[in-house]
Amino acid sequence: MNAGNSMSLASNTSVNSTTEDPGIKSKGFLGNIIVMFILALMFNISALVMIIRSSKSHRWSAFYRLMVSLNITDLFGSITCFPVLLATYANNVEWQGGQQLCNYTGYMISFVVLSSAAIVGTMSLERFIGVWFPFFYNNPTAKERRTNILLGTVWVTVAFISLLPIIGFGEYVLQYPGTWCFYNFRAQNLADKIYAYMYSVFWILTILFTIIFNLVKLVLRRIRAQDKKKQYDKANRNEIYSIILLIIIVIVTATCGIPMAIRAIVNESGSMKDNSADLHASRMATFNLVLDPLVYIFFRRENLECLFRFIRKRHGRSEKSPEQCNSTSTKTDNKATSASNQEKIEISSST
């Protein structure tokens, strides 16, 4: 470990310790982190098992390939990042790994956070291509190759971006309260500032373009559905289920990721340091590892089918129009009248 990295690590830790003694809360936070780690493992593994077991129905379409990749990325992040965090809190919030462990933790967090956002963006782009270029999209050979190329491009690009601070362009430093490392929010030299802005802007743009792709896709799908008067067949319903699932994942990703990216830009611009806000933003970004698989577990196609079936039944029972009710009562009255007339005829004939 060189002298510059050692000084930055030590100075950052000292600043954090003067603001608030993190050792006081270490035991409480340790329990929370253990619970979050267990939930992240349980939910991601459960989501993967559910996707694999239902492979006969979705036939490993592009959407589900990317969904599996998202779960694998989140599971990988949980396994590689949480143990370091647990060890630090168990050690009374004392960082023991030096700059090398800081580089490792910073790289893993940067890779997982940006990869998750980029994969969700790729899922949105894939669905957007399906609506905008249906003939190109429905080519089975091109579809599989395109999905593999997009996923490979995401992982390679994000891996390279996350590696830059380790090779000298940017810097990973210990963040408040001295339990995790990320790129320097308050860099002094030009290269570190450029990297901090580049990563944050790329992160925000990925989420924003994901939202734009979904909005445009919904508008286009609505227009084409009106023009062609599509019937709600099985394929169309499955597409609707995928869109609902993707929209909820996009909302979760944006809610968890944007605060952290904005805090990084605010800090880099020279505003007053707010360790508490940075810590809350980082926890929201980490919580995304738990929420992504949970969204799939609750909003997968099978559950949405049951939900819509229940809504249709309730809707059909509660929405009998006044005309239908009047016609039903009229038919009943007519039957009763005809029955009484028939009785009168029988009585008169018998007498």
Short mmCIF file of all heavy atoms in Angstrom, two decimals, residues 22-56:
data_model
loop_
_atom_site.label_atom_id
_atom_site.label_comp_id
_atom_site.label_asym_id
_atom_site.label_seq_id
_atom_site.Cartn_x
_atom_site.Cartn_y
_atom_site.Cartn_z
N PRO A 22 -18.95 5.77 15.85
CA PRO A 22 -19.76 4.70 15.28
C PRO A 22 -19.76 3.44 16.11
O PRO A 22 -20.62 2.59 15.96
CB PRO A 22 -19.12 4.46 13.91
CG PRO A 22 -17.72 4.93 14.04
CD PRO A 22 -17.73 6.01 15.07
N GLY A 23 -18.78 3.31 17.03
CA GLY A 23 -18.72 2.10 17.84
C GLY A 23 -19.90 1.95 18.78
O GLY A 23 -20.24 0.84 19.17
N ILE A 24 -20.55 3.06 19.13
CA ILE A 24 -21.69 3.01 20.04
C ILE A 24 -22.84 2.22 19.43
O ILE A 24 -23.57 1.51 20.12
CB ILE A 24 -22.13 4.45 20.40
CG1 ILE A 24 -20.99 5.18 21.11
CG2 ILE A 24 -23.38 4.44 21.25
CD1 ILE A 24 -21.30 6.64 21.39
N LYS A 25 -23.02 2.37 18.10
CA LYS A 25 -24.16 1.73 17.44
C LYS A 25 -23.78 0.44 16.71
O LYS A 25 -24.58 -0.10 15.98
CB LYS A 25 -24.78 2.70 16.44
CG LYS A 25 -25.30 3.99 17.08
CD LYS A 25 -25.93 4.87 16.03
CE LYS A 25 -26.49 6.15 16.66
NZ LYS A 25 -27.11 7.03 15.64
N SER A 26 -22.56 -0.02 16.88
CA SER A 26 -22.10 -1.14 16.06
C SER A 26 -22.90 -2.41 16.30
O SER A 26 -23.21 -3.16 15.37
CB SER A 26 -20.61 -1.41 16.33
OG SER A 26 -20.41 -1.76 17.69
N LYS A 27 -23.27 -2.66 17.57
CA LYS A 27 -23.99 -3.90 17.86
C LYS A 27 -25.37 -3.90 17.23
O LYS A 27 -25.81 -4.89 16.67
CB LYS A 27 -24.09 -4.08 19.37
CG LYS A 27 -22.75 -4.35 20.04
CD LYS A 27 -22.91 -4.59 21.52
CE LYS A 27 -21.56 -4.86 22.18
NZ LYS A 27 -21.69 -5.08 23.64
N GLY A 28 -26.08 -2.77 17.32
CA GLY A 28 -27.40 -2.68 16.70
C GLY A 28 -27.35 -2.81 15.20
O GLY A 28 -28.15 -3.53 14.60
N PHE A 29 -26.39 -2.13 14.57
CA PHE A 29 -26.26 -2.22 13.12
C PHE A 29 -25.83 -3.61 12.68
O PHE A 29 -26.21 -4.07 11.62
CB PHE A 29 -25.24 -1.19 12.62
CG PHE A 29 -25.77 0.22 12.62
CD1 PHE A 29 -24.99 1.28 13.04
CD2 PHE A 29 -27.05 0.49 12.17
CE1 PHE A 29 -25.48 2.57 13.04
CE2 PHE A 29 -27.55 1.77 12.16
CZ PHE A 29 -26.77 2.82 12.60
N LEU A 30 -25.05 -4.30 13.50
CA LEU A 30 -24.60 -5.65 13.15
C LEU A 30 -25.79 -6.58 12.99
O LEU A 30 -25.85 -7.37 12.04
CB LEU A 30 -23.65 -6.18 14.22
CG LEU A 30 -23.09 -7.59 13.99
CD1 LEU A 30 -22.29 -7.65 12.70
CD2 LEU A 30 -22.23 -8.02 15.17
N GLY A 31 -26.76 -6.49 13.89
CA GLY A 31 -27.96 -7.32 13.77
C GLY A 31 -28.75 -7.01 12.52
O GLY A 31 -29.22 -7.91 11.81
N ASN A 32 -28.88 -5.71 12.19
CA ASN A 32 -29.60 -5.32 10.98
C ASN A 32 -28.92 -5.84 9.73
O ASN A 32 -29.57 -6.29 8.77
CB ASN A 32 -29.71 -3.79 10.91
CG ASN A 32 -30.58 -3.23 12.01
OD1 ASN A 32 -31.44 -3.92 12.55
ND2 ASN A 32 -30.36 -1.98 12.37
N ILE A 33 -27.59 -5.77 9.71
CA ILE A 33 -26.84 -6.22 8.53
C ILE A 33 -26.94 -7.73 8.37
O ILE A 33 -27.05 -8.25 7.25
CB ILE A 33 -25.37 -5.76 8.64
CG1 ILE A 33 -25.30 -4.24 8.58
CG2 ILE A 33 -24.54 -6.35 7.51
CD1 ILE A 33 -23.98 -3.67 8.99
N ILE A 34 -26.90 -8.46 9.49
CA ILE A 34 -27.04 -9.91 9.41
C ILE A 34 -28.40 -10.27 8.81
O ILE A 34 -28.50 -11.14 7.93
CB ILE A 34 -26.87 -10.55 10.80
CG1 ILE A 34 -25.42 -10.42 11.27
CG2 ILE A 34 -27.29 -12.01 10.78
CD1 ILE A 34 -25.20 -10.90 12.70
N VAL A 35 -29.46 -9.60 9.28
CA VAL A 35 -30.80 -9.86 8.75
C VAL A 35 -30.87 -9.52 7.26
O VAL A 35 -31.42 -10.30 6.46
CB VAL A 35 -31.85 -9.04 9.54
CG1 VAL A 35 -33.22 -9.14 8.86
CG2 VAL A 35 -31.94 -9.53 10.98
N MET A 36 -30.30 -8.38 6.86
CA MET A 36 -30.33 -7.99 5.45
C MET A 36 -29.55 -8.97 4.58
O MET A 36 -29.98 -9.31 3.47
CB MET A 36 -29.76 -6.57 5.28
CG MET A 36 -29.94 -6.01 3.88
SD MET A 36 -29.31 -4.32 3.71
CE MET A 36 -30.43 -3.46 4.81
N PHE A 37 -28.42 -9.45 5.10
CA PHE A 37 -27.60 -10.42 4.37
C PHE A 37 -28.38 -11.73 4.16
O PHE A 37 -28.42 -12.28 3.05
CB PHE A 37 -26.31 -10.68 5.15
CG PHE A 37 -25.36 -11.62 4.45
CD1 PHE A 37 -25.20 -11.60 3.07
CD2 PHE A 37 -24.62 -12.52 5.19
CE1 PHE A 37 -24.31 -12.46 2.44
CE2 PHE A 37 -23.74 -13.40 4.57
CZ PHE A 37 -23.59 -13.37 3.20
N ILE A 38 -29.03 -12.20 5.21
CA ILE A 38 -29.81 -13.44 5.10
C ILE A 38 -30.97 -13.26 4.12
O ILE A 38 -31.24 -14.14 3.29
CB ILE A 38 -30.32 -13.87 6.49
CG1 ILE A 38 -29.15 -14.26 7.39
CG2 ILE A 38 -31.31 -15.02 6.37
CD1 ILE A 38 -29.54 -14.56 8.83
N LEU A 39 -31.66 -12.13 4.20
CA LEU A 39 -32.78 -11.87 3.29
C LEU A 39 -32.31 -11.79 1.84
O LEU A 39 -32.97 -12.30 0.93
CB LEU A 39 -33.49 -10.58 3.69
CG LEU A 39 -34.27 -10.60 5.00
CD1 LEU A 39 -34.87 -9.24 5.29
CD2 LEU A 39 -35.36 -11.67 4.98
N ALA A 40 -31.16 -11.12 1.62
CA ALA A 40 -30.64 -11.00 0.26
C ALA A 40 -30.33 -12.37 -0.32
O ALA A 40 -30.67 -12.67 -1.48
CB ALA A 40 -29.40 -10.12 0.25
N LEU A 41 -29.69 -13.23 0.47
CA LEU A 41 -29.38 -14.59 0.00
C LEU A 41 -30.67 -15.37 -0.26
O LEU A 41 -30.83 -16.01 -1.32
CB LEU A 41 -28.52 -15.31 1.03
CG LEU A 41 -27.09 -14.82 1.24
CD1 LEU A 41 -26.41 -15.62 2.33
CD2 LEU A 41 -26.29 -14.89 -0.05
N MET A 42 -31.59 -15.32 0.69
CA MET A 42 -32.81 -16.11 0.61
C MET A 42 -33.67 -15.67 -0.59
O MET A 42 -34.14 -16.50 -1.36
CB MET A 42 -33.60 -15.98 1.91
CG MET A 42 -34.85 -16.83 1.97
SD MET A 42 -35.63 -16.76 3.60
CE MET A 42 -36.05 -15.01 3.68
N PHE A 43 -33.86 -14.37 -0.75
CA PHE A 43 -34.73 -13.87 -1.82
C PHE A 43 -34.11 -14.11 -3.19
O PHE A 43 -34.82 -14.50 -4.14
CB PHE A 43 -35.00 -12.38 -1.62
CG PHE A 43 -35.90 -12.08 -0.44
CD1 PHE A 43 -35.84 -10.86 0.20
CD2 PHE A 43 -36.79 -13.03 0.02
CE1 PHE A 43 -36.66 -10.59 1.28
CE2 PHE A 43 -37.62 -12.77 1.11
CZ PHE A 43 -37.54 -11.55 1.74
N ASN A 44 -32.81 -13.87 -3.33
CA ASN A 44 -32.17 -14.07 -4.64
C ASN A 44 -32.15 -15.54 -5.04
O ASN A 44 -32.42 -15.88 -6.20
CB ASN A 44 -30.75 -13.51 -4.62
CG ASN A 44 -30.70 -12.01 -4.85
OD1 ASN A 44 -30.94 -11.52 -5.95
ND2 ASN A 44 -30.40 -11.27 -3.81
N ILE A 45 -31.84 -16.42 -4.10
CA ILE A 45 -31.84 -17.85 -4.41
C ILE A 45 -33.26 -18.32 -4.73
O ILE A 45 -33.48 -19.10 -5.68
CB ILE A 45 -31.24 -18.65 -3.24
CG1 ILE A 45 -29.74 -18.32 -3.10
CG2 ILE A 45 -31.43 -20.15 -3.46
CD1 ILE A 45 -29.09 -18.96 -1.89
N SER A 46 -34.25 -17.84 -3.97
CA SER A 46 -35.64 -18.23 -4.23
C SER A 46 -36.09 -17.76 -5.60
O SER A 46 -36.76 -18.51 -6.34
CB SER A 46 -36.55 -17.64 -3.15
OG SER A 46 -36.21 -18.12 -1.87
N ALA A 47 -35.73 -16.53 -5.97
CA ALA A 47 -36.10 -16.02 -7.29
C ALA A 47 -35.47 -16.84 -8.40
O ALA A 47 -36.12 -17.16 -9.41
CB ALA A 47 -35.69 -14.55 -7.41
N LEU A 48 -34.21 -17.22 -8.23
CA LEU A 48 -33.54 -18.03 -9.24
C LEU A 48 -34.22 -19.40 -9.38
O LEU A 48 -34.43 -19.90 -10.50
CB LEU A 48 -32.07 -18.22 -8.88
CG LEU A 48 -31.15 -17.01 -9.06
CD1 LEU A 48 -29.77 -17.29 -8.49
CD2 LEU A 48 -31.04 -16.64 -10.53
N VAL A 49 -34.57 -20.01 -8.26
CA VAL A 49 -35.25 -21.32 -8.29
C VAL A 49 -36.60 -21.20 -8.99
O VAL A 49 -36.97 -22.06 -9.81
CB VAL A 49 -35.41 -21.86 -6.86
CG1 VAL A 49 -36.30 -23.11 -6.86
CG2 VAL A 49 -34.05 -22.19 -6.26
N MET A 50 -37.34 -20.14 -8.71
CA MET A 50 -38.65 -19.96 -9.34
C MET A 50 -38.52 -19.77 -10.84
O MET A 50 -39.32 -20.32 -11.62
CB MET A 50 -39.35 -18.74 -8.72
CG MET A 50 -39.81 -18.95 -7.30
SD MET A 50 -40.56 -17.47 -6.60
CE MET A 50 -40.89 -18.02 -4.92
N ILE A 51 -37.54 -19.00 -11.28
CA ILE A 51 -37.35 -18.79 -12.72
C ILE A 51 -36.97 -20.10 -13.41
O ILE A 51 -37.48 -20.42 -14.49
CB ILE A 51 -36.28 -17.71 -12.97
CG1 ILE A 51 -36.76 -16.36 -12.45
CG2 ILE A 51 -35.97 -17.60 -14.46
CD1 ILE A 51 -35.73 -15.26 -12.56
N ILE A 52 -36.10 -20.87 -12.78
CA ILE A 52 -35.66 -22.14 -13.38
C ILE A 52 -36.82 -23.13 -13.43
O ILE A 52 -37.02 -23.84 -14.44
CB ILE A 52 -34.47 -22.71 -12.59
CG1 ILE A 52 -33.24 -21.80 -12.75
CG2 ILE A 52 -34.14 -24.12 -13.06
CD1 ILE A 52 -32.08 -22.19 -11.87
N ARG A 53 -37.62 -23.20 -12.37
CA ARG A 53 -38.73 -24.15 -12.34
C ARG A 53 -39.82 -23.81 -13.35
O ARG A 53 -40.52 -24.70 -13.84
CB ARG A 53 -39.33 -24.20 -10.93
CG ARG A 53 -38.42 -24.85 -9.88
CD ARG A 53 -39.11 -24.94 -8.54
NE ARG A 53 -40.29 -25.78 -8.60
CZ ARG A 53 -41.10 -26.01 -7.56
NH1 ARG A 53 -40.84 -25.44 -6.38
NH2 ARG A 53 -42.15 -26.78 -7.68
N SER A 54 -39.97 -22.53 -13.67
CA SER A 54 -40.99 -22.12 -14.64
C SER A 54 -40.42 -21.95 -16.05
O SER A 54 -41.03 -21.31 -16.89
CB SER A 54 -41.64 -20.80 -14.20
OG SER A 54 -40.68 -19.77 -14.11
N SER A 55 -39.25 -22.54 -16.30
CA SER A 55 -38.59 -22.35 -17.59
C SER A 55 -39.39 -22.95 -18.75
O SER A 55 -39.26 -22.49 -19.89
CB SER A 55 -37.19 -22.97 -17.56
OG SER A 55 -37.26 -24.36 -17.28
N LYS A 56 -40.23 -23.96 -18.48
CA LYS A 56 -41.02 -24.55 -19.57
C LYS A 56 -42.04 -23.56 -20.12
O LYS A 56 -42.37 -23.60 -21.31
CB LYS A 56 -41.74 -25.81 -19.07
CG LYS A 56 -40.81 -26.96 -18.78
CD LYS A 56 -41.59 -28.20 -18.36
CE LYS A 56 -40.66 -29.38 -18.10
NZ LYS A 56 -41.41 -30.59 -17.68
#
